[in-house]
Amino acid sequence: LYAGSEGAVICDAANLGITGRYQDEDRRRLFRCAISCDSKKIAGTIDSRDGGGVNIWDAASRELLYHVAHNELCAISESTETDRNRYAVTFSPSDRNVLATGCNDGTLSLITIEPTGTSSGNSLFTHKTWVAHTDAVNDLLFNTNGDELVSCSDDKTVKLWDLEGNLLKFIIEGGDEVFSVALNADGSKLLIVGYDFIKCISFIT
């Protein structure tokens, strides 16, 4: 699964052939994408040049289920055009209806899709947004239980949050910009990639 000017695209791993493409009727460009834990939903963050926000599709039918506008997620009321990229998106590993986004204004948003939503285009979701960093959020992930969130940023920090937006601890503070985070299969190790470093640390929450 990858995102770009053609929307979100799924390729067959064996022969790299395209098996699915997800775009809205305006054919807006996507910056990042993610797939839900049950493989039934696709989320894509919309490029700032096309207005920003997040689209969520049904993976099988490719129907656009929800559009979450940038101004519904951004915690900072006055944002520039460049603030609109939703730089990171990830689904919960334990709940197919929960996903999180991170923006280059430093905000995190937790989105819960209402399971009763069936009509295309309806905004049947709830969300919580908070200022998490002082610079761009580059990546984020849920722990394996889906009850905590790790975010990393150009502000040179990696932070651990609960799903109410409460800071639990600094995993890294100071140094260089942090670009990416990843967990191993059992969630016991956290890989952190920064401007000039790679770290693999024990991850116990």
Side-chain angles (χ1 to χ4, degrees), residues 19-194:
T19 60
R21 192 189 307 275
Y22 303 84
Q23 277 189 310
D24 56 26
E25 60 183 13
D26 296 321
R27 301 182 65 84
R28 288 181 284 193
R29 294 160 290 193
L30 300 184
F31 190 80
R32 293 276 186 91
C33 56
I35 190 166
S36 62
C37 58
D38 63 355
S39 300
K40 292 185 177 181
K41 293 185 180 72
I42 303 289
T45 62
I46 300 170
D47 191 287
S48 63
R49 294 167 292 179
D50 293 329
V54 179
N55 280 347
I56 302 169
W57 290 269
D58 178 272
S61 68
R62 306 181 196 175
E63 176 188 11
L64 178 62
L65 300 175
Y66 311 97
H67 171 71
V68 190
H70 167 74
N71 59 9
E72 294 182 270
L73 296 175
C74 185
I76 299 174
S77 59
E78 294 184 4
S79 59
T80 67
E81 183 70 18
T82 57
D83 285 332
R84 292 181 179 170
N85 263 333
R86 305 305 299 184
Y87 268 100
V89 61
T90 187
F91 274 95
S92 168
S94 60
D95 190 334
R96 64 183 181 178
N97 292 314
V98 175
L99 65 156
T101 63
C103 190
N104 64 346
D105 63 6
T107 60
L108 295 181
S109 297
L110 186 74
I111 303 168
T112 302
I113 304 166
E114 299 298 335
T116 55
T118 56
S119 299
S120 176
N122 284 351
S123 296
L124 299 177
F125 58 85
T126 58
H127 57 85
K128 175 181 287 292
T129 298
W130 65 96
V131 178
H133 294 274
T134 59
D135 210 330
V137 178
N138 291 321
D139 201 6
L140 73 167
L141 57 80
F142 288 91
N143 66 348
T144 52
N145 294 327
D147 57 3
E148 293 175 347
L149 192 64
V150 176
S151 61
C152 67
S153 169
D154 280 348
D155 69 4
K156 305 177 182 180
T157 65
V158 179
K159 298 179 181 181
L160 180 67
W161 308 88
D162 67 19
L163 300 191
E164 294 299 317
N166 299 307
L167 178 63
L168 301 179
K169 67 178 179 180
F170 282 85
I171 298 173
I172 286 181
E173 185 176 10
D176 288 299
E177 293 92 343
V178 188
F179 299 142
S180 182
V181 287
L183 283 176
N184 67 340
D186 66 6
S188 63
K189 300 290 184 181
L190 179 67
L191 182 68
I192 303 169
V193 179

